[in-house]
Amino acid sequence: LALLPARSFTGDSMQRPLSCRLTSSSIVEQDVDRFTQHVYKDPETGCEMPYNLYLPKDYDPNKSYPLVFFVADASANINNTKTPLFQGNGATVWTEPEEQAKHPCIVLAPQYTQDLVQSIGMMTTDENVWTPGLTLVTHLLQDTIKNYAVDKTRIYGTGQSQGGMTNIAISDRYPDLFAAQWLVACQWNVQEMAAMKDKKLWITVCEGDNKAFPGMNEATPSGNRLAAPSRATPRRGGTASLQSPS
């Protein structure tokens, strides 16, 4: 496990945010256009969930591919299927030609819409409980695994905030599902996270996040006691990381 506080610096001084707005719409459009859009209809909840799917170039259903499952944070919960593709690059980065040349994979990016929020509530909450939204997105993931050429030993999950919490909740309930996960700016019930003690996790949080940073600090030593001792490692710029010994 690794817990990395995020802090930006140049040399020994903090780097100030840019005052100008940078745009690269042509690049964003190329990234988005690599995905196709679909709607999953869930028989259990009765709900529909739009999603974005990327299949590798020359996809062959007779082969098997790793699957990257990306869930965006709650700021993306609007009625636009493509939002997870342009709100950030958590889904699109894996579809870049240079990445696909090294690691061809399927990418699934569900969209939790405002309509879903209004009908069945938020997908994740600060109470860290299982929700109808988590049932819905899990069934979508399972349906994708069933209907595409997914290597079930190489399913990887990632997401920030709501997306990281979704990853944790699913991994808690299905501890054998993910081969590894990258959890960003999120937290969950510490006791439930014990189910992930043997998982390969990369955890990234900001020191200023008053929920994720203390939450993951509490969860990480708990997991490490069950797996391996942890140590604090000073990092340049006044940050520190918690890492398992190599």
Side-chain angles (χ1 to χ4, degrees):
L1 300 179
L3 181 62
L4 301 181
R7 184 177 284 184
S8 176
F9 58 87
T10 302
D12 294 321
S13 61
M14 298 297 290
Q15 186 177 31
R16 295 186 178 184
L18 293 173
S19 58
C20 60
R21 182 178 180 181
L22 302 179
T23 59
S24 54
S25 59
S26 61
I27 296 176
V28 171
E29 289 169 3
Q30 292 173 19
D31 292 342
V32 171
D33 288 345
R34 297 190 190 107
F35 288 77
T36 55
Q37 286 66 50
H38 310 268
V39 176
Y40 169 70
K41 297 181 179 180
D42 183 40
E44 180 175 329
T45 63
C47 296
E48 295 185 354
M49 185 173 212
Y51 64 96
N52 302 276
L53 184 69
Y54 172 84
L55 297 178
K57 184 180 180 181
D58 302 323
Y59 170 79
D60 183 348
N62 296 312
K63 296 181 179 180
S64 63
Y65 301 86
L67 170 68
V68 177
F69 171 67
F70 169 78
V71 182
D73 64 65
S75 70
N77 292 354
I78 63 174
N79 293 331
N80 184 335
T81 303
K82 297 181 180 180
T83 305
L85 307 181
F86 60 74
Q87 185 237 20
N89 67 347
T92 58
V93 65
W94 314 105
T95 70
E96 294 287 346
E98 56 269 28
E99 287 297 326
Q100 284 288 311
K102 295 182 293 184
H103 306 292
C105 64
I106 299 169
V107 181
L108 172 64
Q111 170 59 357
Y112 201 75
T113 62
Q114 180 64 27
D115 287 346
L116 286 170
V117 173
Q118 293 174 346
S119 62
I120 60 174
M122 294 293 290
M123 184 156 54
T124 61
T125 69
D126 287 340
E127 287 73 34
N128 300 332
V129 295
W130 191 264
T131 66
L134 286 171
T135 296
L136 176 60
V137 75
T138 302
H139 288 172
L140 165 61
L141 174 58
Q142 293 169 338
D143 185 77
T144 304
I145 295 168
K146 176 183 177 181
N147 289 301
Y148 291 91
V150 175
D151 182 344
K152 294 181 181 179
T153 68
R154 294 189 292 168
I155 299 172
Y156 304 95
T158 186
Q160 72 272 13
S161 193
Q162 168 186 258
M165 294 169 73
T166 298
N167 266 269
I168 297 171
I170 296 174
S171 197
D172 284 343
R173 185 159 290 203
Y174 302 95
D176 296 325
L177 179 60
F178 294 105
Q181 290 168 291
W182 183 10
L183 309 173
V184 182
C186 59
Q187 70 288 325
W188 197 253
N189 181 290
V190 174
Q191 287 70 38
E192 289 188 12
M193 285 189 70
M196 303 169 69
K197 65 183 179 66
D198 297 321
K199 289 298 177 185
K200 295 179 180 179
L201 305 176
W202 190 263
I203 302 171
T204 307
V205 298
C206 176
E207 285 180 314
D209 190 326
N210 59 16
K211 290 190 294 185
F213 189 65
M216 284 304 197
N217 263 300
E218 184 180 357
T220 304
S222 174
N224 280 339
R225 280 198 299 272
L226 295 170
S230 62
R231 64 173 182 266
T233 305
R235 298 178 69 85
R236 192 177 182 188
T239 63
S241 66
L242 273 174
Q243 299 179 324
S244 298
S246 56

